[in-house]
Amino acid sequence: MLIEVAGVRVPVGRAAEAARLVSEEYADAALYHHSVRSYFFGAAWAEARGLDFDRELFFVSALLHDLALVPPFDSHTLPFEEAGGHLARVFTAGLGWPAERRDRAAELIVLHMRDDVAPEVDVESRLLQVGTSADVSGAGLEAFDPSFRDALVGAYPRLGFAKSFVRLFEEQAERKPGCAAAGLVAGDWAERTVSHPLDQG
């Protein structure tokens, strides 16, 4: 794994490496790359604004945030972000994180599918929202320099991510019609996602 893209670094240490290994093992390459790009987008957004954030907490949450979309962790009752929050609690317990920090990892993952959180209220949750929105639907992509975007996609190619991700959300919506993913699928989210600027040209 590249530890730096366009000057933005990933954290080092046991937690970050374990999150990377688990994400890479269980997610396909497109979904894994999305998780990594979500981290880089969020971290770059924070650095451009001089925001102080918990890099390790954010990285671990970003790398785990979509794992409940894959069959081994998919819940047939809970929305994927809530199931993902539980997965994060179990994962970080194995790292020896205290309960409060485990809860924070779960909170970031749940909130990335909720209404926007102000960075002054919860900076790490906002960063995951920024990172995932930019990478999935292109929302807020204009905030990032084209050279950074090009470097990031060069390091972690999209690999047909948009179409495969829309299918995952459509499956969630079909089985769990009251979930947040279903609300997105019912609108123009899928169209915006498959028309992502980074997939054009």
Side-chain angles (χ1 to χ4, degrees):
M1 177 175 182
L2 294 177
I3 62 170
E4 181 178 323
V5 173
V8 181
R9 298 182 62 83
V10 303
V12 296
R14 177 169 170 254
E17 178 62 10
R20 184 195 66 79
L21 287 172
V22 168
S23 181
E24 191 172 29
E25 180 175 349
Y26 283 98
D28 65 19
L31 192 62
Y32 168 66
H33 282 196
H34 158 66
S35 298
V36 177
R37 289 193 307 268
S38 295
Y39 165 80
F40 277 110
F41 272 126
W45 191 87
E47 291 177 11
R49 288 156 181 77
L51 298 175
D52 185 31
F53 65 101
D54 186 325
R55 195 173 295 267
E56 179 186 68
L57 172 66
F58 176 44
F59 182 82
V60 168
S61 300
L63 269 288
L64 301 180
H65 82 274
D66 276 340
L67 282 188
L69 290 170
V70 304
F73 304 117
D74 185 16
S75 170
H76 284 263
T77 56
L78 293 176
F80 85 92
E81 69 274 16
E82 294 182 15
H86 289 291
L87 171 62
R89 283 192 177 93
V90 173
F91 175 86
T92 53
L95 293 171
W97 285 16
E100 183 178 358
R101 190 165 177 78
R102 299 199 320 265
D103 288 346
R104 284 287 292 135
E107 183 177 36
L108 266 64
I109 292 171
V110 171
L111 289 180
H112 95 276
M113 290 294 292
R114 302 293 184 262
D115 291 337
D116 287 352
V117 177
E120 61 269 22
V121 173
D122 182 346
V123 65
E124 291 82 16
S125 289
R126 181 60 183 148
L127 298 188
L128 190 55
Q129 291 176 335
V130 167
T132 55
S133 295
D135 196 60
V136 172
S137 66
L141 195 63
E142 66 281 356
F144 301 93
D145 189 277
S147 63
F148 169 76
R149 290 158 24 189
D150 290 346
L152 182 54
V153 173
Y156 294 96
R158 291 181 65 81
L159 306 174
F161 165 72
K163 290 182 179 179
S164 63
F165 197 68
V166 167
R167 285 196 297 272
L168 288 172
F169 265 41
E170 289 173 342
E171 292 168 3
Q172 292 286 312
E174 183 177 352
R175 290 187 283 112
K176 295 172 262 189
C179 70
L184 290 174
V185 168
D188 66 351
W189 170 86
E191 181 179 349
R192 289 185 288 113
T193 297
V194 297
S195 301
H196 197 292
L198 296 182
D199 290 329
Q200 310 307 308

